[in-house]
Amino acid sequence: MNILAVIPARAGSRGIPNKNIRIVAGHPLIYYAIKNALSSNLITEVIVSTDSPEVKIIAEQMGTKVKWRDSSLCGDTITLDAVIADAVPEGEWDYIVTMQPTSPTLLVSTLDNAILHTIENELDTVISVINSPHLSWGDKEGKKFPNYKERLNRQYLPPCYKETGAFVISKASIVSPLTRIGTNVDVYEVSEDESQDIDTFNDLRNVIAVLEQQKVAIYVNGNNKRGIGHIYRALEIADEFFVKPDIYYDINQTELKVFGKTTHNLIPVNGIAELFEQCKKQNYTIFINDILTTTIDYMIGLRTVLPNAKIINFEDDGEGILKADLVFNALFHEKEFPQVYAGEKYYISGKLFMFYEPIEIKKEVKRVFISFGGADPQNYSDRILNMLTKPDYKNYHFVVVLGRAKSNIETLMEYNKYSNIEVLYDVPNMPELMSSCDIGITSRGRTGYELAMLGIPSISMAQNQREEKHGFVCNENGFTYIGLNPADEIIESNLRMYLLMSQESRKHFHDKLLCHDLRGGRKRVMRLIHELQ
């Protein structure tokens, strides 16, 4: 079967000068249509119809024939039917495929499937379309009227197929200077990305975004031992890309429930071997690890299955950082290698915290915020709740927040029977709750940063030896840090001190906490990631 692809590409373009030869994502625009036609398994010959010397050079360099277009076929009023008919050489052709250079995002697989659909169904013409139903209005004799009988949500509207410039597939016998459309016509739906047509500079920006689109994956784990701050951060990072990342997690380490309510694409894997097998099938441009310490062997394995990806690790103090393109250690201060960015400048806050202003330091302490992250492996919540049942604290209100990975939720909820204690689980709006309090008690992880953003004077203690290395939550930055697993009497003595602390002293802590630009970390991190491309 002989199938000819004709690519019309004239020199003149009023909207975007030099449109067909303009460099788009590294190649001249005409390159993409020619490349698709040459890569097709079904198209047997390719001809470019043009009056542009530059297009002629590009086409010939890529190995296609060129039909020099007469000036009479280059006017703005000339239809493509005449141009295509003029370009078809003598010979026995079964189908003629018109492919416009203004549709560079079309996939070869889509093109070939559409040609097969045409042949198998013995169709005269098949036109590429996108299904784009919308509520619309018409105009008749100056009066506006709806083009619908009933107002419905978009997903319930009947199909509305809008032509794209990607392709028109026609039986050769019906192609003439007047038409390429036969009587037996069908449409072939393409994806939104493939439907892009370049007519305006805004279209051009959209096409570049599609052609340079990242393919992102995140591997993250969290549980009641390692904490689930990794999960929170992974979900925040996922929202920063203009694509929907694949988020992998190991079912042996992480329960689905710790991700909360999210519509991100969560993919469970049973160990590293299965993760690597999944990655082999993808062509990720960015792969993010948020799994604590990585090893050299793990990173070499990941590099093997994703040789073209940029690999970024978060909160990693393992030897695997030597094989990473970028490492962010916001909780640590040491910067041993050039690819490592350490310190609070690279902390990624939750989106909600960006909308809340720091608290006002009041004359007296009335409300106390207490939370030890998602897991609380040292059971600090249990120990402090037991202290708070003493009569000494009846005039203060204590808000204790338990995280998603806490194991004995029901038991601790029973403390709500005390009028001065409020135990909450998996709070959706943490900054609002924090902002209602005067002081805080927390561990040395993510929650410490959140309290600092709001300027809340806080007592802190480490959950494990790893947290002891975290540098930001310290006395110098406005916290009162009392170490790893301090005795109850130390916790309680510091609590009493804070409850009775003067407004002036708390204001001093407040000011020190707010000296750090924690709100700008997200922008700094994403800028460095995008610069890798």
Side-chain angles (χ1 to χ4, degrees):
M1 184 168 287
N2 294 321
I3 299 177
L4 172 70
V6 178
I7 302 172
R10 66 177 181 143
S13 175
R14 296 182 185 278
I16 302 177
N18 301 311
K19 178 167 65 175
N20 289 326
I21 61 171
R22 185 177 286 255
I23 301 299
V24 178
H27 297 286
L29 181 60
I30 185 70
Y31 163 90
Y32 296 98
I34 296 174
K35 184 72 163 57
N36 277 343
L38 292 174
S39 301
S40 168
N41 292 319
L42 300 170
I43 292 172
T44 53
E45 192 168 328
V46 183
I47 289 181
V48 175
S49 169
T50 189
D51 63 332
S52 164
E54 293 85 358
V55 169
K56 180 176 184 292
I57 291 169
I58 295 167
E60 289 176 342
Q61 288 294 309
M62 292 185 70
T64 69
K65 294 182 180 180
V66 174
K67 173 66 169 71
W68 192 256
R69 195 188 306 183
D70 188 85
S71 59
S72 63
L73 293 173
C74 295
D76 292 339
T77 60
I78 302 299
T79 66
L80 276 182
D81 298 319
V83 173
I84 301 304
D86 173 71
V88 177
E90 291 185 8
E92 295 294 325
W93 300 106
D94 296 291
Y95 290 91
I96 310 297
V97 183
T98 305
M99 297 175 61
Q100 296 202 58
T102 51
S103 298
T105 57
L106 177 69
L107 298 178
V108 177
S109 57
T110 302
L111 173 64
D112 280 356
N113 287 336
I115 295 172
L116 285 174
H117 174 75
T118 308
I119 296 170
E120 291 170 356
N121 291 280
E122 299 182 352
L123 298 166
D124 291 336
T125 309
V126 169
I127 303 171
S128 62
V129 298
I130 181 173
N131 184 15
S132 183
H134 281 89
L135 295 172
S136 64
W137 290 67
D139 189 323
K140 187 175 183 180
E141 297 179 353
K143 186 176 180 180
K144 306 298 186 293
F145 63 92
N147 293 325
Y148 55 84
K149 294 180 180 180
E150 182 181 3
R151 292 188 69 87
L152 298 171
N153 289 337
R154 186 173 182 270
Q155 62 267 35
Y156 299 115
L157 290 171
C160 179
Y161 296 113
K162 175 184 173 183
E163 289 189 24
T164 78
F167 53 78
V168 174
I169 304 166
S170 310
K171 277 187 177 178
S173 58
I174 60 133
V175 173
S176 76
L178 298 178
T179 188
R180 289 165 293 150
I181 312 299
T183 55
N184 189 12
V185 180
D186 197 2
V187 297
Y188 195 89
E189 189 174 342
V190 300
S191 67
E192 186 174 353
D193 280 351
E194 293 179 89
S195 73
Q196 305 290 329
D197 284 331
I198 300 178
D199 292 316
T200 66
F201 280 101
N202 190 54
D203 296 335
L204 187 60
R205 284 189 290 270
N206 290 339
V207 161
I208 291 173
V210 172
L211 291 173
E212 295 182 343
Q213 185 170 269
Q214 298 162 324
K215 188 171 177 59
V216 183
I218 300 172
Y219 180 45
V220 61
N221 285 306
N223 51 49
N224 60 2
K225 290 185 178 180
R226 70 171 61 190
I228 58 171
H230 315 279
I231 305 293
Y232 296 135
R233 180 170 47 237
L235 294 174
E236 292 291 342
I237 295 168
D239 283 349
E240 289 298 310
F241 293 99
F242 294 106
V243 295
K244 194 173 185 177
D246 291 334
I247 302 179
Y248 294 93
Y249 66 96
D250 189 338
I251 58 174
N252 303 296
Q253 304 179 56
T254 304
E255 294 184 56
L256 180 61
K257 69 177 184 180
V258 301
F259 288 94
K261 296 178 180 178
T262 179
T263 57
H264 277 294
N265 188 28
L266 304 177
I267 305 173
V269 292
N270 188 7
I272 297 299
E274 186 174 334
L275 172 69
F276 288 173
E277 282 301 314
Q278 293 270 20
C279 289
K280 281 181 184 177
K281 304 172 187 176
Q282 306 297 332
N283 188 29
Y284 294 119
T285 58
I286 291 178
F287 192 95
I288 295 173
N289 291 299
D290 203 336
I291 55 174
L292 285 179
T293 304
T294 61
T295 65
I296 287 285
D297 288 344
Y298 166 77
M299 292 295 287
I300 290 174
L302 191 58
R303 284 280 184 205
T304 301
V305 297
L306 293 173
N308 300 316
K310 299 297 183 181
I311 301 178
I312 300 142
N313 294 1
F314 279 85
E315 304 311 332
D316 184 1
D317 62 351
E319 59 184 7
I321 65 173
L322 297 171
K323 296 293 183 180
D325 294 294
L326 203 54
V327 179
F328 294 104
N329 283 342
L331 296 173
F332 302 102
H333 278 193
E334 297 80 9
K335 178 179 169 58
E336 301 177 55
F337 304 101
Q339 77 274 24
V340 177
Y341 291 82
E344 66 270 12
K345 286 176 64 177
Y346 306 101
Y347 164 70
I348 297 177
S349 73
K351 286 183 286 295
L352 284 180
F353 283 87
M354 306 292 282
F355 300 105
Y356 282 80
E357 296 297 323
I359 68 165
E360 178 185 344
I361 299 299
K362 298 174 184 174
K363 187 175 181 180
E364 295 180 344
V365 173
K366 295 292 185 184
R367 290 172 60 89
V368 181
F369 175 86
I370 301 170
S371 179
F372 296 97
D376 188 14
Q378 293 289 343
N379 291 320
Y380 287 138
S381 302
D382 312 50
R383 292 164 59 185
I384 292 176
L385 280 167
N386 188 53
M387 296 176 199
L388 301 181
T389 60
K390 297 176 183 178
D392 311 50
Y393 303 112
K394 66 180 181 180
N395 294 325
Y396 301 96
H397 189 82
F398 297 92
V399 180
V400 181
V401 178
L402 309 176
R404 293 176 192 162
K406 185 67 174 165
S407 58
N408 58 337
I409 301 295
E410 292 184 5
T411 300
L412 298 184
M413 283 290 185
E414 293 178 5
Y415 281 93
N416 278 309
K417 67 184 179 183
Y418 295 93
S419 60
N420 66 324
I421 297 175
E422 184 180 3
V423 183
L424 304 171
Y425 169 69
D426 194 19
V427 173
N429 190 345
M430 191 72 91
E432 181 175 31
L433 194 61
M434 287 181 175
S435 296
S436 70
C437 297
D438 304 299
I439 62 172
I441 307 176
T442 189
S443 52
R444 218 178 183 195
R446 177 188 177 93
T447 310
Y449 282 87
E450 294 168 348
L451 290 165
M453 284 182 68
L454 299 173
I456 301 173
S458 300
I459 301 164
S460 175
M461 52 202 88
Q463 294 272 18
N464 47 48
Q465 290 182 341
R466 183 183 176 88
E467 274 198 6
E468 286 189 291
K469 301 176 186 177
H470 294 178
F472 177 72
V473 179
C474 63
N475 297 337
E476 290 78 9
N477 288 337
F479 293 88
T480 296
Y481 175 57
I482 56 177
L484 169 62
N485 198 18
D488 286 0
E489 62 184 285
I490 294 176
I491 297 174
E492 192 163 6
S493 64
N494 278 276
L495 171 58
R496 290 176 183 272
M497 177 184 71
Y498 263 65
L499 291 174
L500 299 173
M501 189 180 293
S502 68
Q503 182 181 24
E504 182 181 0
S505 294
R506 282 183 283 114
K507 182 67 166 63
H508 174 70
F509 284 134
H510 171 86
D511 293 342
K512 289 180 74 173
L513 291 169
L514 295 177
C515 283
H516 307 273
D517 180 21
L518 298 175
R519 296 170 187 265
R522 180 187 296 258
K523 184 183 294 185
R524 283 187 282 270
V525 167
M526 294 310 300
R527 175 177 55 80
L528 288 166
I529 290 175
H530 292 315
E531 286 176 357
L532 284 175
Q533 299 303 294

